[in-house]
Amino acid sequence: MSHSNWSGCCCLQCIPEKEVGIVEDLGACQFKRLIGEGPSCICWPLQSVAGRLSLRVQQLDVRCETKTKDNVFVQVAVAVQYRVVTESAYDAWYRLTSPASQIQAYVFDVVRSTIPRMELDQAFESKDDIAQAVLDQLQRVMKDYGYSIVNTLVTDMSPDLKVKQSMNEINAAKRLKEAASHQAESEKIKQVKAAEAEAEARYLSGLGVARQRKAIMQGLQQSVSEFSGEVDGATPKDVMDILLLSQYFDTLSSVGANSLILEHDPATVAQLHSQISAGFMSSIKEKLVKSVEEKSDLLA
């Protein structure tokens, strides 16, 4: 806005583009009329152009310090974009001396009455709400003075440096906690999967051993049956003795191949056979005793 008098020549006055001229009577210094952009004629020296108002959109940057609900002081930067309404240029020129000071005062009033009701995190999340509150207040007030508020923006909100550092440390600690939790969960999953794999391996190993033993028993049974059938006078006991002796010699071969020393006694096979027979007989005896006791209980 410019309030300087026009220094043109006599009756012909030229107003630059996007401006409006204020014409006054020279003697009474009273408002006469408005003249638009371009050349205009006035009744000089009875009239003169007292000043010009820019119709362009202007911006006023306002910084305001205030306190949040949780007692944190913040610097709030608000950008106000405004312009003169052409039809209300009279009010803009005569009713308001300093529009920038007026706008700044209302920005201070709105910011300092809005942010103290919010905590710091909420204030950062509500920047659009703060800007809208400033816009509504300024539009309602500045309209009477011939100014239109185009837009208001909260361009910055800066707490104290120590508060910033504390917020960064809190955020870093929170993320470290989440990372530790995810890492622990990952380790848990690894251990559970390893335990499941080990259990499955042992199960499959047990199945393999059981199948191996079953195959061995089936092979022994088949060998005993075939040998007894083809050799006259051979009993199953004779066949089992031969098989035990064969297994014993295979064991000695395996031990020798691994550079191990094992005491050998020819009576070992007979002792082994006696132990296996005694074990079978003991098991059969226990089963018979148990069966007799169960039948006695039923008869009683």
Short mmCIF file of all heavy atoms in Angstrom, two decimals, residues 72-140:
data_model
loop_
_atom_site.label_atom_id
_atom_site.label_comp_id
_atom_site.label_asym_id
_atom_site.label_seq_id
_atom_site.Cartn_x
_atom_site.Cartn_y
_atom_site.Cartn_z
N VAL A 72 4.72 -26.39 27.40
CA VAL A 72 5.84 -26.33 26.47
C VAL A 72 5.69 -25.08 25.62
O VAL A 72 4.66 -24.87 24.97
CB VAL A 72 5.90 -27.58 25.57
CG1 VAL A 72 7.05 -27.46 24.57
CG2 VAL A 72 6.03 -28.84 26.40
N PHE A 73 6.72 -24.22 25.64
CA PHE A 73 6.67 -23.00 24.84
C PHE A 73 7.05 -23.31 23.40
O PHE A 73 8.05 -24.00 23.14
CB PHE A 73 7.61 -21.95 25.41
CG PHE A 73 7.08 -21.26 26.64
CD1 PHE A 73 7.34 -21.78 27.90
CD2 PHE A 73 6.29 -20.13 26.53
CE1 PHE A 73 6.84 -21.16 29.03
CE2 PHE A 73 5.79 -19.50 27.65
CZ PHE A 73 6.06 -20.02 28.91
N VAL A 74 6.26 -22.80 22.46
CA VAL A 74 6.49 -23.06 21.04
C VAL A 74 6.43 -21.74 20.28
O VAL A 74 5.73 -20.80 20.66
CB VAL A 74 5.45 -24.04 20.46
CG1 VAL A 74 5.62 -25.41 21.03
CG2 VAL A 74 4.03 -23.53 20.69
N GLN A 75 7.21 -21.69 19.21
CA GLN A 75 7.17 -20.57 18.27
C GLN A 75 6.30 -20.99 17.08
O GLN A 75 6.60 -21.97 16.40
CB GLN A 75 8.58 -20.22 17.80
CG GLN A 75 9.46 -19.57 18.84
CD GLN A 75 9.17 -18.09 19.00
OE1 GLN A 75 8.46 -17.48 18.18
NE2 GLN A 75 9.70 -17.51 20.06
N VAL A 76 5.24 -20.24 16.85
CA VAL A 76 4.30 -20.55 15.78
C VAL A 76 4.43 -19.50 14.69
O VAL A 76 4.33 -18.29 14.97
CB VAL A 76 2.85 -20.61 16.29
CG1 VAL A 76 1.90 -21.01 15.16
CG2 VAL A 76 2.73 -21.58 17.46
N ALA A 77 4.65 -19.94 13.45
CA ALA A 77 4.76 -19.04 12.31
C ALA A 77 3.49 -19.18 11.46
O ALA A 77 3.13 -20.28 11.05
CB ALA A 77 5.99 -19.36 11.47
N VAL A 78 2.82 -18.04 11.24
CA VAL A 78 1.57 -18.02 10.47
C VAL A 78 1.75 -17.07 9.28
O VAL A 78 2.20 -15.93 9.45
CB VAL A 78 0.38 -17.56 11.34
CG1 VAL A 78 -0.90 -17.57 10.52
CG2 VAL A 78 0.24 -18.46 12.56
N ALA A 79 1.43 -17.56 8.09
CA ALA A 79 1.46 -16.74 6.88
C ALA A 79 0.04 -16.34 6.51
O ALA A 79 -0.81 -17.22 6.31
CB ALA A 79 2.13 -17.49 5.73
N VAL A 80 -0.22 -15.03 6.44
CA VAL A 80 -1.56 -14.52 6.12
C VAL A 80 -1.50 -13.87 4.75
O VAL A 80 -0.71 -12.94 4.51
CB VAL A 80 -2.04 -13.50 7.17
CG1 VAL A 80 -3.43 -12.99 6.82
CG2 VAL A 80 -2.02 -14.12 8.57
N GLN A 81 -2.34 -14.33 3.83
CA GLN A 81 -2.42 -13.77 2.49
C GLN A 81 -3.71 -12.96 2.38
O GLN A 81 -4.80 -13.49 2.63
CB GLN A 81 -2.39 -14.89 1.45
CG GLN A 81 -1.10 -15.71 1.49
CD GLN A 81 -1.15 -16.94 0.61
OE1 GLN A 81 -2.21 -17.29 0.08
NE2 GLN A 81 -0.02 -17.62 0.46
N TYR A 82 -3.58 -11.70 2.00
CA TYR A 82 -4.75 -10.81 1.99
C TYR A 82 -4.64 -9.85 0.81
O TYR A 82 -3.58 -9.69 0.20
CB TYR A 82 -4.82 -10.02 3.30
CG TYR A 82 -3.67 -9.07 3.53
CD1 TYR A 82 -3.81 -7.71 3.22
CD2 TYR A 82 -2.45 -9.51 4.02
CE1 TYR A 82 -2.76 -6.83 3.42
CE2 TYR A 82 -1.40 -8.64 4.21
CZ TYR A 82 -1.55 -7.30 3.91
OH TYR A 82 -0.51 -6.43 4.10
N ARG A 83 -5.75 -9.18 0.50
CA ARG A 83 -5.78 -8.17 -0.57
C ARG A 83 -6.89 -7.17 -0.30
O ARG A 83 -7.81 -7.42 0.50
CB ARG A 83 -6.00 -8.84 -1.93
CG ARG A 83 -7.34 -9.49 -2.11
CD ARG A 83 -7.49 -10.10 -3.49
NE ARG A 83 -8.81 -10.69 -3.68
CZ ARG A 83 -9.88 -10.01 -4.09
NH1 ARG A 83 -9.78 -8.70 -4.35
NH2 ARG A 83 -11.05 -10.61 -4.25
N VAL A 84 -6.79 -6.04 -0.97
CA VAL A 84 -7.81 -5.00 -0.84
C VAL A 84 -8.97 -5.31 -1.77
O VAL A 84 -8.77 -5.68 -2.93
CB VAL A 84 -7.21 -3.62 -1.19
CG1 VAL A 84 -8.30 -2.55 -1.17
CG2 VAL A 84 -6.11 -3.27 -0.20
N VAL A 85 -10.19 -5.19 -1.24
CA VAL A 85 -11.39 -5.36 -2.07
C VAL A 85 -11.63 -4.04 -2.81
O VAL A 85 -11.71 -2.97 -2.18
CB VAL A 85 -12.61 -5.71 -1.20
CG1 VAL A 85 -13.86 -5.87 -2.08
CG2 VAL A 85 -12.34 -7.00 -0.42
N THR A 86 -11.72 -4.10 -4.14
CA THR A 86 -11.81 -2.89 -4.95
C THR A 86 -12.99 -2.02 -4.54
O THR A 86 -12.88 -0.79 -4.39
CB THR A 86 -11.94 -3.26 -6.44
OG1 THR A 86 -10.86 -4.12 -6.80
CG2 THR A 86 -11.92 -2.02 -7.31
N GLU A 87 -14.14 -2.65 -4.33
CA GLU A 87 -15.34 -1.89 -3.98
C GLU A 87 -15.25 -1.27 -2.59
O GLU A 87 -16.01 -0.35 -2.26
CB GLU A 87 -16.58 -2.79 -4.04
CG GLU A 87 -16.91 -3.33 -5.43
CD GLU A 87 -16.00 -4.50 -5.83
OE1 GLU A 87 -15.23 -4.97 -4.95
OE2 GLU A 87 -16.04 -4.90 -7.00
N SER A 88 -14.35 -1.77 -1.77
CA SER A 88 -14.22 -1.27 -0.39
C SER A 88 -12.90 -0.54 -0.19
O SER A 88 -12.39 -0.47 0.94
CB SER A 88 -14.34 -2.42 0.61
OG SER A 88 -15.55 -3.11 0.46
N ALA A 89 -12.34 -0.01 -1.26
CA ALA A 89 -11.06 0.69 -1.15
C ALA A 89 -11.16 1.91 -0.24
O ALA A 89 -10.19 2.29 0.42
CB ALA A 89 -10.58 1.10 -2.54
N TYR A 90 -12.33 2.54 -0.18
CA TYR A 90 -12.52 3.70 0.73
C TYR A 90 -12.27 3.28 2.18
O TYR A 90 -11.55 3.96 2.91
CB TYR A 90 -13.94 4.24 0.56
CG TYR A 90 -14.30 5.32 1.56
CD1 TYR A 90 -14.00 6.66 1.30
CD2 TYR A 90 -14.92 5.00 2.76
CE1 TYR A 90 -14.31 7.65 2.23
CE2 TYR A 90 -15.23 5.97 3.69
CZ TYR A 90 -14.92 7.30 3.42
OH TYR A 90 -15.23 8.27 4.35
N ASP A 91 -12.88 2.16 2.60
CA ASP A 91 -12.69 1.69 3.97
C ASP A 91 -11.23 1.30 4.21
O ASP A 91 -10.68 1.57 5.30
CB ASP A 91 -13.58 0.48 4.25
CG ASP A 91 -15.06 0.85 4.21
OD1 ASP A 91 -15.39 1.98 4.61
OD2 ASP A 91 -15.87 0.00 3.78
N ALA A 92 -10.61 0.67 3.21
CA ALA A 92 -9.23 0.25 3.39
C ALA A 92 -8.29 1.44 3.56
O ALA A 92 -7.29 1.36 4.28
CB ALA A 92 -8.78 -0.60 2.20
N TRP A 93 -8.60 2.58 2.90
CA TRP A 93 -7.74 3.75 2.97
C TRP A 93 -8.00 4.60 4.21
O TRP A 93 -7.07 5.05 4.89
CB TRP A 93 -7.90 4.57 1.70
CG TRP A 93 -7.07 5.82 1.70
CD1 TRP A 93 -7.46 7.08 2.03
CD2 TRP A 93 -5.69 5.92 1.37
NE1 TRP A 93 -6.44 7.97 1.92
CE2 TRP A 93 -5.32 7.27 1.50
CE3 TRP A 93 -4.74 5.00 0.94
CZ2 TRP A 93 -4.03 7.73 1.23
CZ3 TRP A 93 -3.46 5.47 0.68
CH2 TRP A 93 -3.12 6.80 0.83
N TYR A 94 -9.29 4.82 4.52
CA TYR A 94 -9.63 5.79 5.56
C TYR A 94 -9.88 5.16 6.94
O TYR A 94 -9.71 5.84 7.96
CB TYR A 94 -10.87 6.59 5.15
CG TYR A 94 -10.59 7.56 4.02
CD1 TYR A 94 -10.95 7.25 2.72
CD2 TYR A 94 -9.95 8.77 4.26
CE1 TYR A 94 -10.69 8.11 1.68
CE2 TYR A 94 -9.70 9.65 3.22
CZ TYR A 94 -10.07 9.32 1.94
OH TYR A 94 -9.80 10.19 0.92
N ARG A 95 -10.30 3.90 6.98
CA ARG A 95 -10.68 3.34 8.28
C ARG A 95 -9.55 2.60 8.97
O ARG A 95 -9.64 2.32 10.17
CB ARG A 95 -11.86 2.37 8.10
CG ARG A 95 -13.13 3.04 7.61
CD ARG A 95 -14.29 2.09 7.68
NE ARG A 95 -14.54 1.65 9.06
CZ ARG A 95 -15.40 0.70 9.38
NH1 ARG A 95 -16.07 0.07 8.43
NH2 ARG A 95 -15.56 0.35 10.64
N LEU A 96 -8.49 2.25 8.24
CA LEU A 96 -7.43 1.45 8.83
C LEU A 96 -6.08 2.09 8.50
O LEU A 96 -5.74 2.26 7.34
CB LEU A 96 -7.48 0.02 8.29
CG LEU A 96 -6.76 -1.06 9.11
CD1 LEU A 96 -7.33 -1.14 10.52
CD2 LEU A 96 -6.89 -2.41 8.44
N THR A 97 -5.33 2.42 9.55
CA THR A 97 -4.03 3.05 9.35
C THR A 97 -2.97 2.02 9.00
O THR A 97 -2.19 2.21 8.06
CB THR A 97 -3.60 3.81 10.62
OG1 THR A 97 -4.60 4.77 10.95
CG2 THR A 97 -2.27 4.51 10.41
N SER A 98 -2.93 0.91 9.75
CA SER A 98 -1.89 -0.11 9.54
C SER A 98 -2.53 -1.49 9.50
O SER A 98 -2.76 -2.11 10.55
CB SER A 98 -0.84 -0.03 10.65
OG SER A 98 0.11 -1.06 10.50
N PRO A 99 -2.86 -2.00 8.30
CA PRO A 99 -3.49 -3.32 8.22
C PRO A 99 -2.58 -4.43 8.73
O PRO A 99 -3.05 -5.40 9.32
CB PRO A 99 -3.79 -3.48 6.73
CG PRO A 99 -2.87 -2.54 6.04
CD PRO A 99 -2.69 -1.38 6.97
N ALA A 100 -1.27 -4.29 8.54
CA ALA A 100 -0.35 -5.34 8.99
C ALA A 100 -0.40 -5.49 10.51
O ALA A 100 -0.44 -6.61 11.04
CB ALA A 100 1.07 -5.03 8.53
N SER A 101 -0.40 -4.37 11.21
CA SER A 101 -0.46 -4.42 12.68
C SER A 101 -1.78 -5.01 13.14
O SER A 101 -1.84 -5.76 14.13
CB SER A 101 -0.27 -3.02 13.25
OG SER A 101 1.00 -2.50 12.89
N GLN A 102 -2.88 -4.64 12.45
CA GLN A 102 -4.19 -5.16 12.82
C GLN A 102 -4.26 -6.69 12.63
O GLN A 102 -4.72 -7.41 13.51
CB GLN A 102 -5.26 -4.49 11.95
CG GLN A 102 -6.69 -4.84 12.30
CD GLN A 102 -7.24 -3.98 13.43
OE1 GLN A 102 -6.52 -3.21 14.04
NE2 GLN A 102 -8.52 -4.14 13.71
N ILE A 103 -3.77 -7.15 11.49
CA ILE A 103 -3.78 -8.59 11.22
C ILE A 103 -2.90 -9.32 12.23
O ILE A 103 -3.28 -10.38 12.75
CB ILE A 103 -3.30 -8.85 9.78
CG1 ILE A 103 -4.34 -8.33 8.77
CG2 ILE A 103 -3.06 -10.34 9.54
CD1 ILE A 103 -3.88 -8.38 7.33
N GLN A 104 -1.74 -8.78 12.52
CA GLN A 104 -0.83 -9.41 13.47
C GLN A 104 -1.47 -9.54 14.84
O GLN A 104 -1.33 -10.57 15.51
CB GLN A 104 0.46 -8.59 13.56
CG GLN A 104 1.51 -9.21 14.47
CD GLN A 104 2.80 -8.41 14.45
OE1 GLN A 104 2.86 -7.33 13.88
NE2 GLN A 104 3.83 -8.93 15.09
N ALA A 105 -2.19 -8.50 15.27
CA ALA A 105 -2.83 -8.55 16.58
C ALA A 105 -3.87 -9.65 16.66
O ALA A 105 -3.96 -10.38 17.67
CB ALA A 105 -3.47 -7.19 16.88
N TYR A 106 -4.66 -9.83 15.60
CA TYR A 106 -5.68 -10.87 15.61
C TYR A 106 -5.06 -12.27 15.52
O TYR A 106 -5.58 -13.23 16.10
CB TYR A 106 -6.68 -10.64 14.49
CG TYR A 106 -7.71 -9.59 14.81
CD1 TYR A 106 -7.66 -8.33 14.22
CD2 TYR A 106 -8.73 -9.85 15.73
CE1 TYR A 106 -8.60 -7.36 14.52
CE2 TYR A 106 -9.67 -8.89 16.04
CZ TYR A 106 -9.59 -7.64 15.43
OH TYR A 106 -10.53 -6.68 15.75
N VAL A 107 -3.95 -12.38 14.80
CA VAL A 107 -3.26 -13.67 14.74
C VAL A 107 -2.76 -14.05 16.13
O VAL A 107 -2.92 -15.20 16.59
CB VAL A 107 -2.09 -13.62 13.73
CG1 VAL A 107 -1.23 -14.88 13.85
CG2 VAL A 107 -2.62 -13.50 12.31
N PHE A 108 -2.14 -13.09 16.84
CA PHE A 108 -1.69 -13.34 18.21
C PHE A 108 -2.85 -13.79 19.09
O PHE A 108 -2.73 -14.73 19.88
CB PHE A 108 -1.06 -12.09 18.80
CG PHE A 108 0.32 -11.80 18.31
CD1 PHE A 108 0.98 -10.63 18.64
CD2 PHE A 108 0.99 -12.71 17.49
CE1 PHE A 108 2.25 -10.37 18.20
CE2 PHE A 108 2.27 -12.46 17.03
CZ PHE A 108 2.91 -11.28 17.38
N ASP A 109 -3.98 -13.11 18.95
CA ASP A 109 -5.14 -13.41 19.81
C ASP A 109 -5.65 -14.84 19.57
O ASP A 109 -5.91 -15.58 20.53
CB ASP A 109 -6.25 -12.40 19.53
CG ASP A 109 -7.49 -12.66 20.36
OD1 ASP A 109 -7.41 -12.52 21.60
OD2 ASP A 109 -8.53 -13.02 19.79
N VAL A 110 -5.77 -15.23 18.31
CA VAL A 110 -6.31 -16.56 18.00
C VAL A 110 -5.33 -17.65 18.41
O VAL A 110 -5.70 -18.65 19.03
CB VAL A 110 -6.65 -16.66 16.50
CG1 VAL A 110 -7.07 -18.09 16.15
CG2 VAL A 110 -7.75 -15.69 16.13
N VAL A 111 -4.04 -17.48 18.07
CA VAL A 111 -3.04 -18.51 18.38
C VAL A 111 -2.91 -18.69 19.88
O VAL A 111 -2.87 -19.82 20.40
CB VAL A 111 -1.69 -18.13 17.75
CG1 VAL A 111 -0.58 -19.05 18.26
CG2 VAL A 111 -1.77 -18.23 16.23
N ARG A 112 -2.87 -17.59 20.63
CA ARG A 112 -2.67 -17.67 22.07
C ARG A 112 -3.92 -18.08 22.84
O ARG A 112 -3.86 -18.33 24.03
CB ARG A 112 -2.16 -16.33 22.59
CG ARG A 112 -0.73 -16.07 22.17
CD ARG A 112 -0.24 -14.70 22.57
NE ARG A 112 1.19 -14.54 22.23
CZ ARG A 112 1.84 -13.38 22.29
NH1 ARG A 112 1.18 -12.27 22.69
NH2 ARG A 112 3.11 -13.31 21.96
N SER A 113 -5.04 -18.14 22.16
CA SER A 113 -6.25 -18.65 22.80
C SER A 113 -6.59 -20.07 22.36
O SER A 113 -7.43 -20.72 22.97
CB SER A 113 -7.44 -17.73 22.48
OG SER A 113 -7.70 -17.72 21.08
N THR A 114 -5.93 -20.56 21.30
CA THR A 114 -6.22 -21.90 20.78
C THR A 114 -5.20 -22.93 21.25
O THR A 114 -5.56 -23.98 21.79
CB THR A 114 -6.24 -21.87 19.23
OG1 THR A 114 -7.21 -20.92 18.80
CG2 THR A 114 -6.60 -23.24 18.69
N ILE A 115 -3.92 -22.64 21.07
CA ILE A 115 -2.88 -23.62 21.39
C ILE A 115 -2.81 -23.94 22.88
O ILE A 115 -2.56 -25.11 23.24
CB ILE A 115 -1.52 -23.14 20.85
CG1 ILE A 115 -1.56 -23.17 19.32
CG2 ILE A 115 -0.38 -23.99 21.38
CD1 ILE A 115 -0.25 -22.81 18.66
N PRO A 116 -3.00 -23.00 23.81
CA PRO A 116 -2.96 -23.38 25.23
C PRO A 116 -3.98 -24.42 25.65
O PRO A 116 -3.86 -24.99 26.74
CB PRO A 116 -3.20 -22.04 25.95
CG PRO A 116 -2.68 -21.01 25.00
CD PRO A 116 -3.04 -21.53 23.65
N ARG A 117 -4.97 -24.71 24.82
CA ARG A 117 -5.95 -25.76 25.13
C ARG A 117 -5.52 -27.12 24.58
O ARG A 117 -6.24 -28.10 24.76
CB ARG A 117 -7.32 -25.39 24.56
CG ARG A 117 -7.93 -24.13 25.14
CD ARG A 117 -9.41 -24.06 24.84
NE ARG A 117 -9.68 -23.96 23.43
CZ ARG A 117 -9.85 -22.83 22.76
NH1 ARG A 117 -9.76 -21.66 23.41
NH2 ARG A 117 -10.09 -22.82 21.46
N MET A 118 -4.36 -27.17 23.93
CA MET A 118 -3.87 -28.41 23.33
C MET A 118 -2.53 -28.80 23.93
O MET A 118 -1.74 -27.95 24.32
CB MET A 118 -3.69 -28.25 21.81
CG MET A 118 -4.90 -27.78 21.05
SD MET A 118 -4.49 -27.56 19.30
CE MET A 118 -6.07 -26.98 18.66
N GLU A 119 -2.28 -30.11 23.99
CA GLU A 119 -0.95 -30.59 24.31
C GLU A 119 -0.07 -30.51 23.07
O GLU A 119 -0.56 -30.31 21.96
CB GLU A 119 -1.01 -32.01 24.85
CG GLU A 119 -1.73 -32.13 26.18
CD GLU A 119 -1.68 -33.53 26.76
OE1 GLU A 119 -1.20 -34.44 26.05
OE2 GLU A 119 -2.11 -33.70 27.92
N LEU A 120 1.25 -30.66 23.26
CA LEU A 120 2.19 -30.42 22.17
C LEU A 120 1.92 -31.32 20.96
O LEU A 120 1.85 -30.84 19.82
CB LEU A 120 3.62 -30.63 22.67
CG LEU A 120 4.73 -30.36 21.64
CD1 LEU A 120 4.67 -28.92 21.17
CD2 LEU A 120 6.10 -30.68 22.24
N ASP A 121 1.75 -32.62 21.21
CA ASP A 121 1.49 -33.54 20.09
C ASP A 121 0.20 -33.19 19.37
O ASP A 121 0.13 -33.23 18.14
CB ASP A 121 1.43 -34.98 20.60
CG ASP A 121 2.78 -35.47 21.12
OD1 ASP A 121 3.80 -34.86 20.72
OD2 ASP A 121 2.81 -36.43 21.90
N GLN A 122 -0.83 -32.83 20.13
CA GLN A 122 -2.11 -32.46 19.53
C GLN A 122 -1.98 -31.18 18.72
O GLN A 122 -2.61 -31.03 17.67
CB GLN A 122 -3.17 -32.30 20.63
CG GLN A 122 -4.56 -32.02 20.09
CD GLN A 122 -5.58 -31.81 21.19
OE1 GLN A 122 -5.24 -31.84 22.38
NE2 GLN A 122 -6.82 -31.58 20.81
N ALA A 123 -1.15 -30.23 19.20
CA ALA A 123 -0.96 -28.98 18.47
C ALA A 123 -0.32 -29.23 17.11
O ALA A 123 -0.72 -28.64 16.10
CB ALA A 123 -0.09 -28.03 19.30
N PHE A 124 0.66 -30.15 17.07
CA PHE A 124 1.28 -30.48 15.78
C PHE A 124 0.27 -31.13 14.84
O PHE A 124 0.31 -30.91 13.63
CB PHE A 124 2.48 -31.40 16.00
CG PHE A 124 3.75 -30.69 16.33
CD1 PHE A 124 4.21 -30.61 17.62
CD2 PHE A 124 4.48 -30.07 15.33
CE1 PHE A 124 5.38 -29.95 17.94
CE2 PHE A 124 5.67 -29.41 15.62
CZ PHE A 124 6.12 -29.34 16.93
N GLU A 125 -0.62 -31.95 15.40
CA GLU A 125 -1.62 -32.62 14.57
C GLU A 125 -2.74 -31.68 14.14
O GLU A 125 -3.47 -32.00 13.20
CB GLU A 125 -2.20 -33.80 15.35
CG GLU A 125 -1.19 -34.90 15.66
CD GLU A 125 -1.76 -35.97 16.59
OE1 GLU A 125 -2.94 -35.79 17.00
OE2 GLU A 125 -1.05 -36.94 16.91
N SER A 126 -2.90 -30.55 14.81
CA SER A 126 -4.04 -29.65 14.57
C SER A 126 -3.62 -28.37 13.88
O SER A 126 -4.27 -27.32 14.06
CB SER A 126 -4.75 -29.34 15.89
OG SER A 126 -5.14 -30.51 16.56
N LYS A 127 -2.55 -28.38 13.11
CA LYS A 127 -2.10 -27.17 12.44
C LYS A 127 -3.15 -26.63 11.48
O LYS A 127 -3.36 -25.42 11.39
CB LYS A 127 -0.79 -27.45 11.70
CG LYS A 127 0.39 -27.72 12.62
CD LYS A 127 1.63 -28.15 11.85
CE LYS A 127 2.14 -27.07 10.95
NZ LYS A 127 3.42 -27.46 10.29
N ASP A 128 -3.84 -27.52 10.79
CA ASP A 128 -4.90 -27.08 9.87
C ASP A 128 -6.05 -26.43 10.64
O ASP A 128 -6.64 -25.44 10.17
CB ASP A 128 -5.41 -28.25 9.04
CG ASP A 128 -4.37 -28.77 8.06
OD1 ASP A 128 -3.42 -28.02 7.76
OD2 ASP A 128 -4.50 -29.93 7.62
N ASP A 129 -6.39 -26.97 11.80
CA ASP A 129 -7.46 -26.39 12.61
C ASP A 129 -7.09 -25.00 13.11
O ASP A 129 -7.93 -24.09 13.15
CB ASP A 129 -7.78 -27.30 13.80
CG ASP A 129 -8.30 -28.67 13.36
OD1 ASP A 129 -8.84 -28.76 12.23
OD2 ASP A 129 -8.16 -29.64 14.13
N ILE A 130 -5.82 -24.84 13.50
CA ILE A 130 -5.36 -23.52 13.96
C ILE A 130 -5.42 -22.52 12.82
O ILE A 130 -5.89 -21.38 12.99
CB ILE A 130 -3.93 -23.63 14.52
CG1 ILE A 130 -3.91 -24.56 15.74
CG2 ILE A 130 -3.39 -22.26 14.90
CD1 ILE A 130 -2.52 -24.91 16.23
N ALA A 131 -4.95 -22.93 11.64
CA ALA A 131 -4.98 -22.04 10.48
C ALA A 131 -6.42 -21.66 10.12
O ALA A 131 -6.71 -20.49 9.79
CB ALA A 131 -4.30 -22.71 9.29
N GLN A 132 -7.35 -22.60 10.22
CA GLN A 132 -8.75 -22.31 9.92
C GLN A 132 -9.35 -21.35 10.93
O GLN A 132 -10.13 -20.46 10.57
CB GLN A 132 -9.55 -23.62 9.89
CG GLN A 132 -10.99 -23.47 9.42
CD GLN A 132 -11.09 -22.97 7.99
OE1 GLN A 132 -10.34 -23.41 7.13
NE2 GLN A 132 -12.01 -22.04 7.74
N ALA A 133 -8.98 -21.51 12.19
CA ALA A 133 -9.49 -20.59 13.22
C ALA A 133 -9.00 -19.17 12.98
O ALA A 133 -9.76 -18.19 13.12
CB ALA A 133 -9.05 -21.07 14.61
N VAL A 134 -7.73 -19.02 12.61
CA VAL A 134 -7.19 -17.69 12.29
C VAL A 134 -7.90 -17.11 11.06
O VAL A 134 -8.26 -15.92 11.04
CB VAL A 134 -5.67 -17.78 12.03
CG1 VAL A 134 -5.12 -16.44 11.56
CG2 VAL A 134 -4.94 -18.22 13.30
N LEU A 135 -8.12 -17.94 10.05
CA LEU A 135 -8.79 -17.48 8.84
C LEU A 135 -10.21 -17.00 9.13
O LEU A 135 -10.63 -15.92 8.66
CB LEU A 135 -8.83 -18.62 7.81
CG LEU A 135 -9.53 -18.33 6.48
CD1 LEU A 135 -8.82 -17.22 5.73
CD2 LEU A 135 -9.60 -19.58 5.62
N ASP A 136 -10.96 -17.76 9.90
CA ASP A 136 -12.34 -17.36 10.22
C ASP A 136 -12.37 -16.04 10.97
O ASP A 136 -13.21 -15.16 10.68
CB ASP A 136 -13.01 -18.46 11.05
CG ASP A 136 -13.18 -19.76 10.26
OD1 ASP A 136 -13.13 -19.70 9.02
OD2 ASP A 136 -13.36 -20.81 10.90
N GLN A 137 -11.47 -15.86 11.94
CA GLN A 137 -11.45 -14.63 12.73
C GLN A 137 -11.08 -13.43 11.88
O GLN A 137 -11.72 -12.38 11.94
CB GLN A 137 -10.47 -14.80 13.90
CG GLN A 137 -10.30 -13.57 14.77
CD GLN A 137 -11.49 -13.33 15.68
OE1 GLN A 137 -12.48 -14.07 15.60
NE2 GLN A 137 -11.41 -12.31 16.50
N LEU A 138 -10.05 -13.57 11.05
CA LEU A 138 -9.60 -12.45 10.22
C LEU A 138 -10.63 -12.08 9.15
O LEU A 138 -10.86 -10.90 8.87
CB LEU A 138 -8.26 -12.78 9.57
CG LEU A 138 -7.05 -12.83 10.51
CD1 LEU A 138 -5.80 -13.25 9.73
CD2 LEU A 138 -6.82 -11.47 11.16
N GLN A 139 -11.25 -13.09 8.54
CA GLN A 139 -12.26 -12.79 7.52
C GLN A 139 -13.43 -12.00 8.11
O GLN A 139 -13.95 -11.07 7.48
CB GLN A 139 -12.76 -14.09 6.89
CG GLN A 139 -11.81 -14.69 5.88
CD GLN A 139 -12.35 -15.96 5.26
OE1 GLN A 139 -13.21 -16.63 5.84
NE2 GLN A 139 -11.85 -16.33 4.09
N ARG A 140 -13.82 -12.36 9.32
CA ARG A 140 -14.95 -11.69 9.95
C ARG A 140 -14.62 -10.24 10.33
O ARG A 140 -15.46 -9.34 10.17
CB ARG A 140 -15.38 -12.47 11.18
CG ARG A 140 -16.61 -11.91 11.86
CD ARG A 140 -17.14 -12.84 12.93
NE ARG A 140 -16.17 -13.11 13.98
CZ ARG A 140 -15.50 -14.24 14.11
NH1 ARG A 140 -15.68 -15.23 13.23
NH2 ARG A 140 -14.63 -14.42 15.09
#
